[in-house]
Amino acid sequence: MNIIITPTYSATFVIGMQIGYTNQHYKKSELISFLQQFQQKQIAERNIYLSACVSECEIVLSGQVEPHFKLDFINYPKFTLDEITFKREIELLTVFLMDTLQQNRIVVVYHNETKMFEKSEDIDPRI
């Protein structure tokens, strides 16, 4: 048995299922398709493998109960990255998904810091 030990880097972010602040939603299959598109590009161009765990959840704040997808990432031992590369790849993916899925804001929680990516200061009117 081979045991590989790597430094622990992790990241999590949630992305709303709603398109903008509308009542229209995209499907999980669409998110996965866009995620795989990004992954294939990074593999082909930079030999970067970034796997994701995708699950469904709800964000609750005041009057808002919004369905989201949660994406979890680790520094996968088979395709280990240094911390700077790991964070850069997460952030490239974050911006790609924000643009592709028309999201205004995404908060990325890393193992050692939290970053908010925001296109505008607009707030969901249901809050």
Side-chain angles (χ1 to χ4, degrees), residues 90-100 106 117 119:
I90 297 296
E91 293 172 15
L92 288 171
L93 174 61
T94 300
V95 171
F96 170 75
L97 290 177
M98 284 179 78
D99 291 341
T100 305
I106 293 180
F117 294 78
K119 290 182 180 180

Side-chain angles (χ1 to χ4, degrees), residues 53-109:
C53 175
V54 179
S55 56
E56 294 183 36
C57 65
E58 292 179 322
I59 298 296
V60 178
L61 178 60
S62 183
Q64 176 195 36
V65 180
E66 183 183 351
H68 280 68
F69 294 111
K70 181 178 180 183
L71 287 82
D72 291 299
F73 304 88
I74 61 168
N75 189 27
Y76 189 67
K78 189 68 177 173
F79 306 110
T80 188
L81 301 170
D82 63 79
E83 185 175 11
I84 292 170
T85 304
F86 178 81
K87 286 183 175 183
R88 182 187 66 227
E89 293 301 314
I90 297 296
E91 293 172 15
L92 288 171
L93 174 61
T94 300
V95 171
F96 170 75
L97 290 177
M98 284 179 78
D99 291 341
T100 305
L101 297 171
Q102 300 177 39
Q103 300 297 301
N104 183 44
R105 183 178 301 107
I106 293 180
V107 175
V108 179
V109 179

Side-chain angles (χ1 to χ4, degrees), residues 17-26 66-67 101-103 124-126:
M17 291 182 195
Q18 291 179 207
I19 299 170
Y21 294 130
T22 70
N23 288 325
Q24 298 176 348
H25 293 81
Y26 61 88
E66 183 183 351
L101 297 171
Q102 300 177 39
Q103 300 297 301
D124 190 321
R126 291 165 293 189

Side-chain angles (χ1 to χ4, degrees), residues 2 6-7 9 12 24 28 31-32 36 38-39 52 59 69 75-77 82-83 85-86 91-92 112 115 117 123:
N2 188 22
T6 61
Y9 310 132
T12 298
Q24 298 176 348
K28 186 176 184 179
L31 170 64
I32 289 172
Q36 289 174 320
F38 178 86
Q39 290 169 326
I59 298 296
F69 294 111
N75 189 27
Y76 189 67
D82 63 79
E83 185 175 11
T85 304
F86 178 81
E91 293 172 15
L92 288 171
N112 59 356
K115 287 186 180 181
F117 294 78
I123 300 289

